[in-house]
Amino acid sequence: MATERTLSIIKPDGVEKNIIGQILTRFEEAGLKIIGARMMMLSEQQAKSFYEVHKDRPFYNDLVSYMTTGPVFVSVLEGESAVSKNRELMGATDPKEANPGTIRADFAESIDANTVHGSDSVENAAKEVAFFFPDLA
Ligand code: CMP
């Protein structure tokens, strides 16, 4: 087990529902420490660049549009196995498939408005943390 850092984004639906605090509490109660955070509006260019790995997928344009509809809350979580722990807390990408008690099962509406993003590997976490928080990379 290793101490890791991972990137979390509370998406526009999570910010709109006023559940930033509830989501952060889940991270903290699971032993993850919030070591950096900021609320921001993503520009189209930032959203395109952040999700560039998906640029050839059919959902890319919708994803970029959705992520720029309202403010997002971006944070860096640190702790033992932070990447996989955060993914367990989030649940499956499609909320219909997310395990009960996970963030997406409890709050998400659709695969696009799925409340949270979390890095999917230690390697991508390093890139994603650097994207928003160069000082923490
Ligand atoms: P996220 O973890 O932010 O990573 C990419 C996002 O694309 C994903 O969550 C979903 O919100 C969105 N998305 C839309 N359709 C799909 C799909 N078929 N497979 C994966 N992600 C999708």
Side-chain angles (χ1 to χ4, degrees):
M1 298 256 278
T3 300
E4 297 170 353
R5 290 179 177 179
T6 191
L7 188 88
S8 166
I9 304 178
I10 301 179
K11 297 189 180 189
D13 59 297
V15 174
E16 170 66 23
K17 287 197 184 95
N18 208 22
I19 53 171
I20 294 172
Q22 291 187 56
I23 293 171
L24 297 186
T25 297
R26 290 184 185 212
F27 295 154
E28 290 176 340
E29 286 180 347
L32 297 173
K33 202 172 180 82
I34 298 149
I35 61 162
R38 85 172 183 267
M39 176 99 92
M40 63 188 293
M41 208 46 214
L42 292 181
S43 67
E44 186 182 336
Q45 196 45 53
Q46 282 174 313
K48 278 186 170 163
S49 175
F50 181 77
Y51 280 119
E52 195 172 8
V53 63
H54 296 304
K55 69 177 184 316
D56 296 326
R57 307 287 296 274
F59 57 83
Y60 180 65
N61 287 340
D62 286 346
L63 173 62
V64 168
S65 302
Y66 176 64
M67 291 300 287
T68 56
T69 56
V72 296
F73 186 89
V74 190
S75 62
V76 179
L77 311 177
E78 184 180 79
E80 288 290 325
S81 306
V83 173
S84 58
K85 201 177 268 183
N86 181 37
R87 291 184 69 78
E88 277 168 32
L89 293 170
M90 291 193 300
T93 305
D94 185 345
K96 292 200 287 287
E97 291 165 13
N99 286 333
T102 60
I103 294 168
R104 285 166 169 160
D106 288 348
F107 301 116
E109 290 152 34
S110 66
I111 198 163
D112 289 309
N114 65 349
T115 311
V116 277
H117 165 82
S119 310
D120 65 0
S121 64
V122 172
E123 189 190 6
N124 283 337
K127 291 181 193 160
E128 293 185 0
V129 168
F131 185 91
F132 288 109
F133 299 92
D135 294 354
L136 296 176

